[in-house]
Amino acid sequence: MLFHRLVNPGLILCTLLATAGAHAPAVAADAPDFHLSVVTHESGHFSWDAAARLVQTAGESGLRIQPELAAKPGEQMPGTDTPDLILMPLRSLATQVPALEILELPFLFTGVDAIHQAFDNDLGHLLRKQARQQGWELLALWDEGMQMLSGNRRYDRAINLTGMEFILLRNDPVAVRQFTALDAWTRTVQPQTREQLLRECMIGSRSASLQRLWYERLDRVHLDLSLTAHRYEGWVVITPSANWSRHNEKDKAALLQALSSTTQWQRADAQQREANALEQLKTSGMRIHTLDAEQRVAFIERLPTRDTLLSDTLKPSLRQKLVAAATTVVVTRPDGQKTLPKAQPATPGG
């Protein structure tokens, strides 16, 4: 059976990104209010479950959302309606909105809670503005989890990455820059079966969320799992700006409320999925290694300044603005009001 669930989803997105927003979808009178295209072919994938939850939540507000699997390259026929909403990997949208790479930078955030804190405040406002300039409305950010390191060497120590090879399943410039700075190698492959991937990983290591590592069953070829939580793996809900403007304010407000409610559910669901995957990997016999504060600093010291890890297509001033927004501490005062008092202490690398 083809292992298409592991193949780079960017190929699936080519048609969507090229055509969405290029023309207004022809909506029949009895069609759902919103068509949602989900970029996955795995029925048990969290994104499909989250889409189902959104359908339910939106329905309670009188909205109709029809989820569907994204068309594979070549499947979408000319003249086919473009979706109102698309749920896709963050990395895939970052190819069009490179400012989103700030959410992927290694060792910038301590975990998903820090990501949420930044995205729900100034950083989120800045990223939405950048997405809008490219013709997209960024409506929600959903979690997969934090990436961990899997291999036949313990990677809680930065020095142990030296000379090691990491297998990539997609075009990922942030990962390349990250591993290059850590004196490691990367190689991109497109396995068609799980067995092909496992053969690659008998020598190569992997960096992925816990649920992805378990799905790939890397416990069969790897002995060590290092809980580095070094990089965020997320998904986004977006809509072409041109399509968004065609909906009335009442429907848009109802959809945003449904997305907000679903996001809270999705974050808890992702946390549980990651915990379950970790338990399964432990039970399978993998050796689990955690990082202490000193080991985390050792990783950061080997990385270049944060702004230089971002895409070269971004202006230096924007890179600095993104880093500043990502590293601003949000605190809650006794009266419940949030303030942004100061940036986090500078790390050795930044």
Side-chain angles (χ1 to χ4, degrees):
M1 181 177 68
L2 289 180
F3 199 36
H4 55 254
R5 302 180 185 105
L6 285 181
V7 176
N8 181 4
L11 294 175
I12 301 174
L13 293 171
C14 289
T15 304
L16 288 174
L17 293 178
T19 62
H23 60 276
V27 180
D30 59 346
D33 295 321
F34 293 93
H35 290 270
L36 170 62
S37 183
V38 184
V39 184
T40 182
H41 290 286
E42 180 187 341
S43 60
H45 193 266
F46 82 89
S47 60
W48 189 245
D49 290 347
R53 179 74 178 200
L54 177 61
V55 171
Q56 175 186 337
T57 304
E60 295 169 358
S61 300
L63 290 182
R64 292 175 298 168
I65 296 180
Q66 178 177 306
E68 56 192 11
L69 297 178
K72 295 180 183 179
E75 286 186 354
Q76 187 166 353
M77 300 301 292
T80 301
D81 294 350
T82 57
D84 298 288
L85 303 170
I86 304 172
L87 173 56
M88 65 169 68
L90 170 69
R91 166 94 302 269
S92 298
L93 185 59
T95 61
Q96 286 205 355
V97 187
L100 290 170
E101 288 185 358
I102 189 68
L103 296 173
E104 300 181 302
L105 292 194
F107 294 98
L108 178 58
F109 300 99
T110 55
V112 292
D113 287 343
I115 292 279
H116 300 159
Q117 185 182 65
F119 187 78
D120 293 344
N121 289 280
D122 283 359
L123 182 60
H125 296 312
L126 180 56
L127 292 177
R128 288 186 179 91
K129 180 180 178 180
Q130 291 296 311
R132 194 170 295 120
Q133 290 176 1
Q134 299 301 320
W136 299 99
E137 294 296 325
L138 177 53
L139 303 180
L141 177 70
W142 288 352
D143 302 334
E144 180 172 328
M146 300 298 290
Q147 289 191 14
M148 311 298 178
L149 296 179
S150 173
N152 286 315
R153 179 182 290 192
R154 58 186 300 171
Y155 291 131
D156 54 336
R157 304 164 186 175
I159 192 65
N160 285 357
L161 275 75
T162 302
M164 301 303 291
E165 179 185 72
F166 284 82
I167 301 299
L168 305 181
L169 303 184
R170 65 190 184 194
N171 180 28
D172 193 343
V174 174
V176 173
R177 292 192 289 268
Q178 164 194 284
F179 286 117
T180 298
L182 295 171
D183 294 326
W185 300 89
T186 59
R187 183 162 58 89
T188 303
V189 301
Q190 292 189 350
Q192 296 301 300
T193 65
R194 181 181 280 114
E195 287 68 28
Q196 288 179 7
L197 174 64
L198 293 180
R199 283 198 293 271
E200 297 283 357
C201 291
M202 291 181 69
I203 298 175
S205 299
R206 285 282 284 138
S207 176
S209 68
L210 289 167
Q211 55 186 309
R212 176 53 55 180
L213 294 174
W214 173 246
Y215 177 78
E216 294 174 5
R217 292 306 310 268
L218 292 182
D219 58 298
R220 296 178 179 177
V221 292
H222 288 170
L223 297 174
D224 297 279
L225 173 62
S226 299
L227 304 183
T228 50
H230 60 281
R231 184 181 170 197
Y232 178 66
E233 190 72 32
W235 286 55
V236 291
V237 181
I238 62 172
T239 180
S241 297
N243 289 17
W244 183 243
S245 65
R246 293 186 176 95
H247 292 282
N248 63 56
E249 294 303 317
K250 179 182 177 181
D251 285 351
K252 289 194 288 187
L255 176 61
L256 291 175
Q257 180 58 44
L259 281 166
S260 178
S261 176
T262 303
T263 296
Q264 296 306 312
W265 174 89
Q266 193 280 322
R267 289 175 177 179
D269 179 65
Q271 185 177 26
Q272 186 60 54
R273 287 172 183 264
E274 289 288 272
N276 292 344
L278 176 58
E279 186 60 32
Q280 288 169 316
L281 291 166
K282 285 182 179 178
T283 302
S284 71
M286 292 193 78
R287 298 183 296 231
I288 309 300
H289 310 284
T290 59
L291 272 67
D292 58 29
E294 184 177 349
Q295 289 171 324
R296 184 176 177 86
V297 168
F299 273 96
I300 296 172
E301 287 179 335
R302 296 184 65 175
L303 297 172
T305 56
R306 290 162 172 166
D307 60 310
T308 61
L309 284 168
L310 293 169
S311 172
D312 293 337
T313 63
L314 299 173
K315 294 181 179 179
S317 59
L318 178 55
R319 294 189 212 173
Q320 294 168 7
K321 191 173 182 179
L322 289 165
V323 171
T327 56
T328 298
V329 178
V330 180
V331 299
T332 302
R333 303 195 314 238
D335 60 6
Q337 296 296 314
K338 291 183 178 180
T339 59
L340 308 173
K342 62 181 180 179
Q344 297 176 7
T347 62

